[in-house]
Amino acid sequence: MNFLNRAWLNLRHKKGRSLLLVLVTSAILIFVLAGLIIQNAAVTATQNAQKSAGATVTLSANREKMFAQMQAAREAGETTRPAEATATVAQVKKIAALANVAGYSISNSASVNANGFDPIESSSSSQGGFGGGQGGTSRGGESNKPAQGDMNIAGVSTSASAAAFTGKTATLVDGRGITASDENTNNIMIEKNLADQDSLKVGDTVKVKSTDGKQKISLKIVGIYQLKSTATEGFSPIDPSNTIYASYTLANTLNGTVDQAANVTFTLSEPSKANAFVKAAKKLIDTNKLQLTADDAAYKALLTPLNNIKSFASKIVILVAVAGVIILTLIIVLMVRERRHEMGVLLSIGERKAKIVGQLFFELFAVLVISLGIAGVTGNYVGQTVGNQLVAQQTAQAKTTSETTGQPGSQGGRGMGGQLGAGGPGGMRGGMTNQASPAQLKQLNTTLNMKTLGELGGFGLVIILVAVSAASINILRLKPKRILTNE
């Protein structure tokens, strides 16, 4: 084992060269470690995105088929309009029982007139409506003119699942929200501006009447919410403060569609299995009348930058490893040239060439161990810094792409009376609320563990093995007599 002792003595005697090797090897390992950490963090973030980003599948009328029927009826000279297809609540519950469904929400809308209290007047409402924005209440299509009231009933399964509340554009300020226990009741939530104007509070009762005047219903206020902005969107004729949240069963009663679910949103626990869910759910509905639309934009919005970061990190590891092999090989070649006399003496006294190569390897192995310690201390910081920079770059790029291409709304607001509303960004059926913005990746949570350090050690070992092997060609060609003669 004299070659091990010689390696140790050489490292101690040549302190400057040993320090240079430690610095070079440490720099190589730090960047390799940073790449490994970013790569692992991106993989973990991708797995978490599958659980947290969420994806939704919307069940609604098959409008393409419905418009085809309308066109055929028009060409046949018929004046009546086909009724908009809806699913039954029983069908919805069957679909909700499928695997991968984390929850579901039924939403619809109905237009009514205030009776005994004053709605909020806005410039848009005073100018009259454009029809489809908030969804008229004429169903069955007996008239082509949508009946538009001055109040909008936003029917939901729970107000907490409504886009305005999930998107933080509306917040509960008094009382409670609408829950599943409010089904088949007349409990409602009203907007704060409307409550202030009409001196209404939780526990009070208000009355509304259907747009045809045939139904008059008393509604009990159980909660008051506040909008961040009351600006009227698009061509909506109703001030946002005139939206009343209630159970979808109340809107069904006003529309005459009891036990029907016009618009249902299923939330999936695993976005990557959205297509499998849609395939299974289609077997439970009449696809000539209804359609299922998967919306996994939030998941894909997170997945795209993560895949880019993971790909970039892989390239960092490969490029740094290749560069490390080249740099270390050049350094070892120079070391061999510098130590030709030492090696010539060793060969002349009978030392085997394999042991000389082994001495070189163990010198670099000792350097590798020290460099691993340095990389372990600083690599996580470098990985976190580089990772956050990549996330910021990818997020900005995704935002720019989104702004350039535009993000279509999931469904444009559509009045039941037959006129199309403005399908603005994130618009929902009936134009009730804005859709929540898709989640964005803000940072990578990089962590250094023993597995990553083991991978780094493996990479380092391969790098020095390749470098020593390449440089050993010169050692194997050495002839002691020729070396000493040339000296």
Side-chain angles (χ1 to χ4, degrees):
M1 303 296 287
N2 286 336
F3 69 97
L4 293 179
N5 189 39
R6 289 201 306 269
W8 173 244
L9 291 174
N10 192 275
L11 286 172
R12 289 186 58 185
H13 181 68
K14 302 286 185 180
K15 291 185 176 64
R17 190 182 62 193
S18 301
L19 180 62
L20 175 63
L21 280 173
V22 168
L23 290 176
V24 172
T25 309
S26 297
I28 293 169
L29 293 185
I30 286 172
F31 283 102
V32 171
L33 180 60
L36 290 173
I37 289 175
I38 294 170
Q39 199 174 30
N40 292 338
V43 171
T44 303
T46 303
Q47 293 170 346
N48 292 335
Q50 292 182 350
K51 301 174 183 176
S52 62
T56 58
V57 175
T58 302
L59 173 65
S60 59
N62 191 328
R63 302 190 182 285
E64 187 177 347
K65 294 286 179 65
M66 189 177 75
F67 289 151
Q69 292 174 3
M70 290 169 56
Q71 181 66 25
R74 191 178 299 114
E75 291 175 356
E78 298 178 8
T79 56
T80 57
R81 296 166 52 83
E84 185 173 318
T86 57
T88 64
V89 175
Q91 281 180 308
V92 172
K93 290 182 178 178
K94 283 184 180 179
I95 296 174
L98 294 173
N100 194 25
V101 177
Y104 71 95
S105 174
I106 301 174
S107 61
N108 53 10
S109 64
S111 188
V112 294
N113 287 312
N115 185 19
F117 68 98
D118 297 322
I120 299 289
E121 290 289 341
S122 65
S123 57
S124 57
S125 58
S126 62
Q127 291 169 3
F130 288 84
Q134 294 286 341
T137 57
S138 293
R139 291 187 64 82
E142 294 301 323
S143 170
N144 287 331
K145 296 181 178 179
Q148 182 66 60
D150 51 23
M151 301 293 296
N152 181 50
I153 301 288
V156 293
S157 295
T158 64
S159 57
S161 63
F165 290 89
T166 57
K168 309 294 184 186
T169 57
T171 53
L172 180 68
V173 294
D174 194 12
R176 64 173 179 83
I178 300 299
T179 66
S181 63
D182 292 310
E183 289 185 9
N184 301 314
T185 70
N186 292 348
N187 295 335
I188 61 169
M189 293 171 66
I190 63 172
E191 209 278 325
K192 188 173 184 300
N193 288 330
L194 180 66
D196 292 342
Q197 173 184 280
D198 293 287
S199 301
L200 297 171
K201 61 182 183 299
V202 173
D204 287 351
T205 300
V206 295
K207 293 182 179 179
V208 295
K209 58 184 178 182
S210 58
T211 52
D212 58 7
K214 293 180 181 179
Q215 295 186 74
K216 290 184 180 178
I217 299 178
S218 295
L219 307 175
K220 182 181 179 181
I221 302 171
V222 297
I224 295 176
Y225 71 94
Q226 185 172 22
L227 290 171
K228 278 189 177 179
S229 171
T230 57
T232 303
E233 296 181 2
F235 300 103
S236 174
I238 297 181
D239 189 281
S241 295
N242 290 332
T243 295
I244 295 174
Y245 281 92
S247 171
Y248 71 91
T249 56
L250 177 61
N252 271 347
T253 301
L254 290 165
N255 290 331
T257 57
V258 178
D259 289 333
Q260 298 295 304
N263 193 53
V264 187
T265 301
F266 298 93
T267 303
L268 306 184
S269 53
E270 295 185 59
S272 58
K273 297 181 180 177
N275 291 336
F277 168 77
V278 171
K279 187 177 180 181
K282 280 184 176 178
K283 296 177 181 177
L284 301 175
I285 61 172
D286 183 354
T287 53
N288 287 322
K289 296 180 178 179
L290 299 169
Q291 65 179 4
L292 287 156
T293 308
D295 181 8
D296 54 357
Y299 172 61
K300 289 182 177 176
L302 285 175
L303 200 61
T304 301
L306 284 173
N307 284 336
N308 291 339
I309 291 170
K310 196 161 54 177
S311 173
F312 187 78
S314 299
K315 291 175 183 173
I316 288 178
V317 172
I318 294 172
L319 290 175
V320 173
V322 171
V325 168
I326 295 172
I327 293 170
L328 284 180
T329 301
L330 291 175
I331 292 175
I332 296 172
V333 168
L334 292 175
M335 284 171 55
V336 171
R337 290 177 62 85
E338 180 189 342
R339 296 165 66 180
R340 285 171 63 87
H341 178 75
E342 171 193 342
M343 293 177 182
V345 171
L346 289 172
L347 290 172
S348 66
I349 60 177
E351 186 63 289
R352 291 187 297 173
K353 291 180 179 177
K355 286 193 173 182
I356 295 177
V357 174
Q359 176 186 339
L360 205 56
F361 173 78
F362 278 102
E363 286 179 15
L364 284 178
F365 183 76
V367 169
L368 174 66
V369 172
I370 297 172
S371 300
L372 273 175
I374 296 173
V377 173
T378 58
N380 194 40
Y381 173 77
V382 175
Q384 183 74 62
T385 304
V386 176
N388 289 340
Q389 187 65 32
L390 288 173
V391 168
Q393 182 182 356
Q394 290 296 325
T395 302
Q397 184 177 347
K399 186 178 179 180
T400 304
T401 304
S402 175
E403 290 174 351
T404 303
T405 58
Q407 294 290 335
S410 56
Q411 292 183 35
R414 189 181 299 276
M416 293 181 185
Q419 295 185 28
L420 291 175
M428 289 186 65
R429 188 178 181 280
M432 288 187 298
T433 51
N434 290 330
Q435 184 137 347
S437 299
Q440 289 187 341
L441 183 65
K442 295 180 179 177
Q443 67 173 16
L444 280 179
N445 294 320
T446 59
T447 54
L448 178 63
N449 50 39
M450 293 306 296
K451 181 185 175 185
T452 309
L453 269 181
E455 290 176 347
L456 179 66
F459 265 99
L461 204 56
V462 170
I463 289 173
I464 63 172
L465 273 173
V466 174
V468 170
S469 299
S472 297
I473 297 173
N474 286 336
I475 298 176
L476 297 175
R477 294 168 56 189
L478 292 176
K479 301 292 183 185
K481 184 178 179 180
R482 184 177 174 185
I483 295 171
L484 296 177
T485 302
N486 290 339
E487 292 287 333

